[in-house]
Amino acid sequence: MENLYGAQTFFLCLEDESGASLGVFLMNSNPMEVALQPAPAVTYRTIGGVLDFYVFLGDTPEQVVQEYVKFIGLPVLPSYWSLGFQLSRYDYKSLDDVKAVVERNRAIGLPYDVQYTDIDYMEARKDFTYDKEKFQDLPSFQAYLHDQGQKYVIILDPAISIEPLSDGSPYLTYERGQSRGTWVNESDGDTPLIGQVWPGQSVFPDFTNPECTSWWAEECKTFYDEVPYDGLWIDMNEVSNFVQGSTKGCEDNEFNYPPFTPSIVDRLLYSMTMCMDARQKWGRQYDVHNLYGYSMAISTRRAIEGLFPGKRSFLLSRSTFAGSGKFTGHWLGDNAATWDDLKWAITGMLEFGLFGIPYIGADICGFSYNTTEELCRRWMQVGAFYPFSRNHNTEECAPQDPAFFGADSVLVNTSKHYLNIRYSLLPYLYTLFYRAHTQGDTVLRPLLHEFYSESATWSVDKQFLWGPGLLISPVLDPGVEVIQAYIPDAVWYDYDSGANIWWRKQWGGPAPSCRQDGTAPEGWPHLPCPAASHHNCGK
């Protein structure tokens, strides 16, 4: 397995149909490999740290997750508005372009609460700046959204440019950080490590340094006073670096070239990140690299609490570690507009429910590549039931916000249908998040958590539950109108028609063809038919 966006060293086992379960957590942030063997056995190969194992026992899988999550920290309760549908993309050409997207989706009556801007809004992709030409009116954009009850979220990356602004004036965010010694340093502990990211040559904040946390919170406040926003989205915080280690390279030593290297990108510990002998307050990168996103989330949560005292606001992070859910939600990163990634999103969300990060979703319709109407339609249907529901894609790809497909398109009609179901169920979803926040419950959960005595549920990974009461069975393949869905042993009703589902403890279907808008034929006693590198476009 190659590197992922974060490290979650926890696994769950269901012993048998009685529900008896166990979870195992290795509290270790060092590079490692984990191999699953058919014995059954799990083999860890970690190249540092302490073998600090914790075992959690329970009568049900859900109980084990509750125990684990209470140990690592109960997840933050999201703001109610952040449960609404959200739109974003990387490659808005100007603020007028953003407003055009907002207006056309308002015009079709799409349920829609949050609009983002990606790094396009920045001047030369520098944090805490905005493009005074293409995004000239950005300081008034939040008010424009608030007039219609919508919210505004901006992106921030950790890398801080060392170059002046385009007019030659000092980049004050860098200058202030430099004066306070807030950067990750080279192996000598004194010289800031320089890498290369979006804004060019850059330094990296050491969020494990309390002085850095104070500086970061102040920068967030200074920019908020200029460009008001409602929440923060932190990205590239694994931490990502476009050169190997640093602009100087990395020294030949046991940290950068250990005797054993796990199966990672390029078989090189510092590939696309910092040198492993770089120093932070918490230790060398060799030991704390997997904690970079975690520490950035802590610092950013501190900034949000200062900006919005007494309010919950919004924080979303790409990189996570065990316990990140105390501070932030997560999305599954740079997926692709493929049917495979539509399927894998369900697995990813189920996993993060186990990890104590219930506010989770995937980029609806896919981040990379051009989507198709059919794929995006199916993705919008199931994405209406993601705990974090956001449509987002990358530069040079065609727009994929619902209104782009036409006001009277099937995609728009079915998106509105399922989003309206989502909105009607927000009190239920909010209650699930409250239980997650107070008890460690999962929100989006696998069928086996409720129906562990039915062995058929153990391998179901194309359906999921909201809590114990709502079963979502999406269409996940092209050209398909009818699916087989497993119906557990309980009393079920079709959401749209209220009809009783007569199947119990078996696979239901096939059924007559669905209507064109994706809903089941009238009177049919079946579940609703649907529920159903950055630059891969234009090249």
Side-chain angles (χ1 to χ4, degrees), residues 67-76 322-326 355-356 436-437:
E67 294 172 7
Y68 171 61
V69 173
K70 287 175 182 176
F71 176 72
I72 60 173
L74 291 161
V76 64
S324 287
K326 291 182 292 184
F355 304 152
H437 174 63

Side-chain angles (χ1 to χ4, degrees), residues 199-258:
Q201 290 199 343
S202 304
V203 288
F204 300 95
D206 177 7
F207 292 106
T208 70
N209 182 348
E211 186 71 15
C212 178
T213 296
S214 298
W215 161 82
W216 184 252
E218 290 167 15
E219 294 302 317
C220 289
K221 176 64 165 61
T222 298
F223 190 62
Y224 176 85
D225 290 341
E226 185 176 12
V227 178
Y229 50 85
D230 297 295
L232 292 170
W233 163 31
I234 51 177
D235 192 14
M236 306 288 287
N237 54 345
E238 290 74 33
V239 58
S240 293
N241 186 3
F242 295 166
V243 297
Q244 304 289 56
S246 77
T247 54
K248 296 179 180 178
C250 298
E251 296 180 22
D252 185 358
N253 57 38
E254 61 181 343
F255 299 106
N256 295 315
Y257 300 95

Side-chain angles (χ1 to χ4, degrees), residues 414-433:
T414 193
S415 296
K416 290 166 64 176
H417 176 79
Y418 287 101
L419 285 172
N420 278 319
I421 292 176
R422 177 192 182 87
Y423 276 76
S424 71
L425 292 171
L426 284 188
Y428 175 61
L429 181 60
Y430 195 55
T431 301
L432 294 176
F433 272 108

Side-chain angles (χ1 to χ4, degrees), residues 377-408:
R377 171 163 45 92
R378 292 306 190 192
W379 215 321
M380 284 294 299
Q381 290 164 358
V382 67
F385 299 96
Y386 288 0
F388 164 59
S389 183
R390 181 185 71 166
N391 180 315
H392 176 60
N393 70 322
T394 191
E395 65 176 352
E396 300 187 23
C397 292
Q400 61 188 34
D401 58 283
F404 174 76
F405 293 90
D408 297 323

Side-chain angles (χ1 to χ4, degrees), residues 172-195:
L172 295 179
T173 290
Y174 168 71
E175 299 291 340
R176 289 188 287 257
Q178 179 74 356
S179 69
R180 296 172 69 168
T182 61
W183 316 129
V184 176
N185 291 318
E186 295 179 359
S187 59
D188 62 10
D190 294 313
T191 308
L193 182 144
I194 297 175

Side-chain angles (χ1 to χ4, degrees), residues 120-132:
D120 318 294
Y121 79 85
M122 301 176 182
E123 178 190 323
R125 297 169 170 173
K126 291 181 171 69
D127 280 353
F128 308 113
T129 69
Y130 71 98
D131 188 320
K132 301 299 196 299

Side-chain angles (χ1 to χ4, degrees), residues 272-446:
M272 305 303 290
T273 190
M274 291 186 281
C275 298
M276 291 295 106
D277 57 359
R279 289 187 175 272
Q280 296 184 239
K281 284 290 184 180
W282 284 359
R284 295 184 189 271
Q285 271 287 295
Y286 186 87
D287 298 308
V288 303
H289 169 80
N290 285 333
L291 299 174
Y292 194 91
Y294 175 84
S295 62
M296 185 180 185
I298 294 174
S299 295
T300 310
R301 174 59 58 182
R302 185 77 55 82
I304 285 174
E305 290 170 351
L307 288 171
F308 309 105
K311 297 183 180 180
R312 286 189 291 276
S313 186
F314 176 89
L315 177 59
L316 189 72
S317 176
R318 190 166 80 174
S319 182
T320 63
F321 188 75
S324 287
K326 291 182 292 184
F327 312 106
T328 183
H330 175 63
W331 88 107
L332 296 174
D334 293 352
N335 62 2
T338 66
W339 293 93
D340 278 347
D341 277 11
L342 172 61
K343 298 181 182 75
W344 277 111
I346 295 175
T347 303
M349 291 186 297
L350 292 173
E351 288 175 340
F352 274 87
L354 306 184
F355 304 152
I357 306 179
Y359 190 71
I360 180 69
D363 285 342
I364 294 171
C365 299
F367 179 76
S368 300
Y369 307 121
N370 285 317
T371 191
T372 64
E373 189 278 342
E374 183 188 15
L375 174 61
C376 195
R377 171 163 45 92
R378 292 306 190 192
W379 215 321
M380 284 294 299
Q381 290 164 358
V382 67
F385 299 96
Y386 288 0
F388 164 59
S389 183
R390 181 185 71 166
N391 180 315
H392 176 60
N393 70 322
T394 191
E395 65 176 352
E396 300 187 23
C397 292
Q400 61 188 34
D401 58 283
F404 174 76
F405 293 90
D408 297 323
S409 66
V410 175
L411 183 145
V412 163
N413 291 333
T414 193
S415 296
K416 290 166 64 176
H417 176 79
Y418 287 101
L419 285 172
N420 278 319
I421 292 176
R422 177 192 182 87
Y423 276 76
S424 71
L425 292 171
L426 284 188
Y428 175 61
L429 181 60
Y430 195 55
T431 301
L432 294 176
F433 272 108
Y434 177 76
R435 289 191 58 84
H437 174 63
T438 57
Q439 301 296 324
D441 291 16
T442 58
V443 172
L444 184 146
R445 68 185 60 159

